[in-house]
Amino acid sequence: MKHLLTKMNSSLKYKLLGVLLLMSFIPITLASFSWYHSMTRSAISQSSEIADQYTRFMAEELSSYLTELNQALNPLLLQPEFQSYLTLSRDNIRSQAVLAAAFRPQLQTILQSYQEVAGILYLDRQGKIMYDSYQNNMNYGYDFNRDSFFSEVQEVQSVVLGLSHPASYLLEADQISVPLIRPVVNLRTGKVDSWLVVEIRESFFTRLAGAEEHTDKGEILLYHPESGRFLAGTHIEPEFQEYIIEAFRKEGLRGGIRWSWNNGEYEAISRDIIFGGWKLVWIYSLDPMLQGVRYSLLLTIVIAVGTLLLALILAFPAMDVVLQPLYRLINGINELSRGIYQPIRHETPGEIGFVIDHFNRLLIDLKDADKQAYDAIMREKERELLQLQAQTNPHLFFNTLEAISSYARINQPAVVEDMIDKISSMMRYSIRNDGGWVPLSEEISYIHDFIRIHDYRNGASIDVILNIPSCGKELEIMKLSIQPFVENALKYGWSSRFKENEFQLCISVHKQDGRLVVTVENTGVPIDGEVMEQLQELLVSERGGKSSFFARHTGIANVYRRLRLWYGKDLEFTIESTNTFTRFRYSAPLADMSEEPPSA
């Protein structure tokens, strides 16, 4: 009976929710989107009409300018001296100069009238070249035949506005120009064997496109469909440029195109420009005009969502009570993902309570399995630490025995006795079962013995400075975690050729902010670059010491791996070597032997 009532109540809730949706949310949503699309089409249609008129005006204005500039060349082309100049050979320099002096004023008149014209270049098939400009000077040694642009000029048979190009034939720095190419007709033969190239500064077109009165309406471009190149008045991102060109190629700019970019709506209107197949394109954003429409749509959506929320509240007044056990279960899963095994307390009957009970039992099983895995990892780390410690400096003992043998042959019993005493003490220190941790004073004593043996072997004493506070000598440190760096300093930094005080070794151990800081620094010869590179790779590797180099040089690699295995990410380790000093330094939390080692 209780189950039947629950089912009926649930059915009534869904029915009430359905009625509320049919009466409010669905009609409002349908009406809003219908109104939005209608208003959008109206706004875009009006904007397109205005853009089309504006683009037509700008294209006609630019075409008119180019036509006027082209017509300004007509008096020059009809001048008898200029026509006579066309027929002269390349080698007739004197006649060229005489005729050019006659028609050059006409060129200068054009340059004065059109300030944006950087210069006018004449060239013909006979190889004659002439350039006139108020600002630039021509390099008459320039090889126009090797310039692909000017090779294309000789194929032009009608007036063309060419592509922008660097005026490399000038003596000054390269200047980017847009050429108006005018074929010259020989009035006697009716053939075209000469051309005038009117170099218009590219900046003239970019200023036209980026004029202040246009920028608030959109972006004006000069686009050349055949080459895919365009000129813009303002900076456009390269990705947007490529997107625009691809859209132009795909749509063909017939009338106008519309596209989306970076969550924005854009439209482009184009008009042909006289000469050369250029198009003037006006690109403008539809977002400003659609902003009000979108705001209205957003407002209606908010109202619709509010209506839906009200329907949910009325249909499910007790939903929080049902979801609370599920929330506790989700929190328990989140805690588990962070490694916290916290059972969920509940008094929830039914299916949810059954799931929570099984989750709690799963926590117990996972906790047991995690502890077993952790114990296995710790046993493996302990085994590896013991192996690394056993590898520390085995060659030291063999070298010392060889030195003892040498002193015995030359009858030095006192030295032999002292060396045997030192090596015995060091061997007992190395192999004794102390858990791998010793007071700092014992590690320093071991280092003193090591340096003493080094002095015997090399016949020279080392200057050692200890910077250790008296209260720090009882600090617990990892055994043999300092001596390998001392050995490295003597191996790479010291030389038997050094004079007294030319080599100095300093060992510093102190506490800082709850951490142990150990520094071994020496003067003398810096570490070789190749060795330094191997040591730096050791510090960034996952486990360190895996290259062939560390198969022969185990000392530093072993102590670094031992420290890394014990301290994990809490270890800070640096190596520096310059012309004045070499320094090994590591910092780690002060040892607490009652705790497990940190996770590596």
Side-chain angles (χ1 to χ4, degrees):
M1 185 66 176
K2 182 178 181 181
H3 178 70
L4 179 61
L5 290 175
T6 302
K7 186 175 180 180
M8 290 177 60
N9 290 335
S10 176
S11 176
L12 288 174
K13 290 177 184 177
Y14 283 109
K15 288 179 180 179
L16 177 59
L17 177 60
V19 171
L20 290 173
L21 288 175
L22 291 173
M23 294 178 59
S24 56
F25 183 74
I26 295 177
I28 293 175
T29 303
L30 292 176
S32 297
F33 278 97
S34 175
W35 173 84
Y36 171 75
H37 286 294
S38 176
M39 292 296 294
T40 300
R41 286 195 300 270
S42 176
I44 292 176
S45 175
Q46 182 181 9
S47 175
S48 299
E49 184 177 350
I50 296 173
D52 184 65
Q53 295 176 2
Y54 191 77
T55 306
R56 183 188 298 113
F57 168 76
M58 291 297 300
E60 290 175 354
E61 184 179 351
L62 182 55
S63 296
S64 176
Y65 166 80
L66 295 174
T67 301
E68 180 183 335
L69 178 58
N70 179 55
Q71 292 175 351
L73 298 173
N74 290 337
L76 172 66
L77 272 60
L78 297 175
Q79 195 166 343
E81 291 82 0
F82 183 79
Q83 285 293 321
S84 298
Y85 184 85
L86 301 181
T87 60
L88 291 177
S89 67
R90 177 181 180 180
D91 299 327
N92 194 347
I93 305 300
R94 181 177 180 180
S95 297
Q96 290 181 35
V98 172
L99 293 176
F103 63 76
R104 189 178 294 272
Q106 186 67 40
L107 288 173
Q108 293 174 350
T109 300
I110 297 174
L111 292 172
Q112 291 175 351
S113 301
Y114 299 91
Q115 297 296 321
E116 62 279 356
V117 174
I120 300 177
L121 176 70
Y122 168 88
L123 60 122
D124 58 26
R125 296 191 191 279
Q126 300 180 57
K128 297 197 299 294
I129 304 292
M130 184 181 67
Y131 180 75
D132 204 346
S133 173
Y134 281 120
Q135 302 175 8
N136 304 313
N137 295 302
M138 178 180 166
N139 176 14
Y140 281 92
Y142 185 78
D143 189 354
F144 286 87
N145 293 325
R146 300 182 62 181
D147 193 318
S148 59
F149 170 77
F150 290 101
S151 298
E152 295 173 359
V153 168
Q154 298 185 14
E155 302 299 326
V156 175
Q157 295 297 312
S158 60
V159 183
V160 171
L161 182 65
L163 301 178
S164 58
H165 71 106
S168 305
Y169 58 88
L170 298 179
L171 292 175
E172 292 79 5
D174 286 354
Q175 170 180 279
I176 305 300
S177 303
V178 179
L180 180 66
I181 305 171
R182 172 69 183 268
V184 179
V185 178
N186 189 322
L187 298 180
R188 295 176 183 175
T189 63
K191 295 182 179 181
V192 175
D193 291 314
S194 307
W195 294 266
L196 286 176
V197 180
V198 182
E199 300 281 22
I200 308 173
R201 293 187 184 85
E202 185 186 57
S203 58
F204 168 74
F205 294 96
T206 56
R207 283 198 306 270
L208 177 68
E212 186 176 351
E213 62 267 19
H214 309 321
T215 54
D216 60 340
K217 301 179 179 68
E219 181 72 34
I220 293 180
L221 309 176
L222 291 177
Y223 176 61
H224 194 263
E226 183 178 348
S227 65
R229 294 169 61 179
F230 63 86
L231 302 174
T234 58
H235 174 71
I236 301 178
E237 296 179 2
E239 295 83 0
F240 193 31
Q241 292 182 14
E242 295 177 4
Y243 191 90
I244 292 172
I245 293 174
E246 183 62 28
F248 289 170
R249 286 176 177 169
K250 186 180 297 183
E251 301 294 335
L253 281 173
R254 294 184 297 271
I257 60 174
R258 180 182 174 190
W259 72 90
S260 298
W261 171 265
N262 284 346
N263 299 321
E265 295 288 332
Y266 294 87
E267 189 168 56
I269 301 293
S270 69
R271 286 288 175 181
D272 292 333
I273 297 175
I274 192 170
F275 307 141
W278 285 87
K279 291 181 179 291
L280 187 140
V281 183
W282 188 21
I283 299 175
Y284 56 97
S285 173
L286 298 173
D287 290 338
M289 68 186 68
L290 296 178
Q291 185 175 1
V293 179
R294 290 172 178 165
Y295 177 78
S296 300
L297 177 63
L298 177 63
L299 184 61
T300 57
I301 291 175
V302 170
I303 295 173
V305 171
T307 305
L308 177 61
L309 292 176
L310 180 61
L312 290 173
I313 293 172
L314 295 176
F316 302 99
M319 185 59 68
D320 285 343
V321 176
V322 177
L323 293 178
Q324 281 303 322
L326 290 178
Y327 291 153
R328 289 197 292 269
L329 179 60
I330 292 173
N331 289 334
I333 294 173
N334 290 334
E335 293 291 323
L336 177 61
S337 67
R338 295 194 293 269
I340 301 174
Y341 301 90
Q342 183 63 43
I344 301 172
R345 296 182 180 180
H346 74 99
E347 297 179 358
T348 306
E351 292 81 355
I352 297 179
F354 177 79
V355 172
I356 294 176
D357 288 337
H358 275 271
F359 176 77
N360 288 339
R361 286 195 291 272
L362 177 63
L363 284 181
I364 297 173
D365 295 339
L366 287 175
K367 188 174 183 179
D368 292 341
D370 188 51
K371 186 177 185 305
Q372 293 174 7
Y374 181 78
D375 291 343
I377 292 173
M378 289 300 103
R379 286 193 295 271
E380 176 64 21
K381 282 190 176 182
E382 183 178 358
R383 182 188 64 80
E384 187 171 358
L385 283 170
L386 293 175
Q387 288 179 347
L388 291 172
Q389 182 176 327
Q391 295 176 15
T392 303
N393 285 336
H395 61 281
L396 170 65
F397 303 115
F398 295 118
N399 293 338
T400 304
L401 291 175
E402 291 178 359
I404 291 173
S405 176
S406 299
Y407 276 103
R409 283 196 297 270
I410 62 176
N411 196 19
Q412 296 266 347
V415 176
V416 170
E417 181 180 359
D418 192 30
M419 291 183 69
I420 292 175
D421 180 64
K422 295 291 187 291
I423 195 65
S424 299
S425 176
M426 292 173 66
M427 292 182 67
R428 284 194 298 272
Y429 178 80
S430 297
I431 66 175
R432 79 183 185 193
N433 186 14
D434 49 19
W437 291 84
V438 296
L440 175 60
S441 58
E442 294 187 13
E443 180 78 2
I444 296 301
S445 177
Y446 180 89
I447 293 172
H448 278 305
D449 291 342
F450 171 79
I451 294 175
R452 185 63 174 167
I453 289 177
H454 179 275
D455 293 345
Y456 281 132
R457 287 179 58 203
N458 295 278
S461 59
I462 303 300
D463 187 11
V464 181
I465 299 175
L466 292 178
N467 184 10
I468 303 173
S470 57
C471 60
K473 293 185 178 181
E474 298 306 315
L475 286 172
E476 290 286 330
I477 68 168
M478 183 178 288
K479 185 164 67 175
L480 297 177
S481 62
I482 301 178
Q483 182 271 340
F485 305 116
V486 174
E487 180 180 358
N488 185 82
L490 297 177
K491 179 177 180 180
Y492 292 105
W494 181 82
S495 172
S496 59
R497 297 188 299 272
F498 282 170
K499 299 177 182 179
E500 186 177 358
N501 297 327
E502 193 172 351
F503 176 84
Q504 191 174 74
L505 176 65
C506 179
I507 303 172
S508 173
V509 183
H510 65 278
K511 294 187 292 184
Q512 181 177 342
D513 299 329
R515 297 176 68 87
L516 175 70
V517 181
V518 177
T519 305
V520 179
E521 182 175 327
N522 65 274
T523 59
V525 180
I527 297 177
D528 180 75
E530 182 178 353
V531 176
M532 190 66 184
E533 183 178 345
Q534 294 285 347
L535 293 174
Q536 293 297 342
E537 289 183 4
L538 169 69
L539 302 188
V540 299
S541 62
E542 182 67 22
R543 293 174 62 86
K546 295 301 182 182
S547 71
S548 59
F549 175 85
F550 292 108
R552 305 185 305 273
H553 306 80
T554 59
I556 292 180
N558 282 350
V559 72
Y560 174 74
R561 290 183 62 197
R562 289 169 59 212
L563 291 168
R564 179 62 70 187
L565 281 170
W566 182 267
Y567 292 108
K569 295 180 180 179
D570 289 334
L571 176 69
E572 297 177 3
F573 199 107
T574 59
I575 303 175
E576 299 176 75
S577 185
T578 68
N579 291 329
T580 58
F581 71 90
T582 296
R583 179 187 299 136
F584 289 83
R585 173 177 291 168
Y586 72 83
S587 170
L590 289 171
D592 184 354
M593 303 310 300
S594 65
E595 296 182 359
E596 297 285 357
S599 176

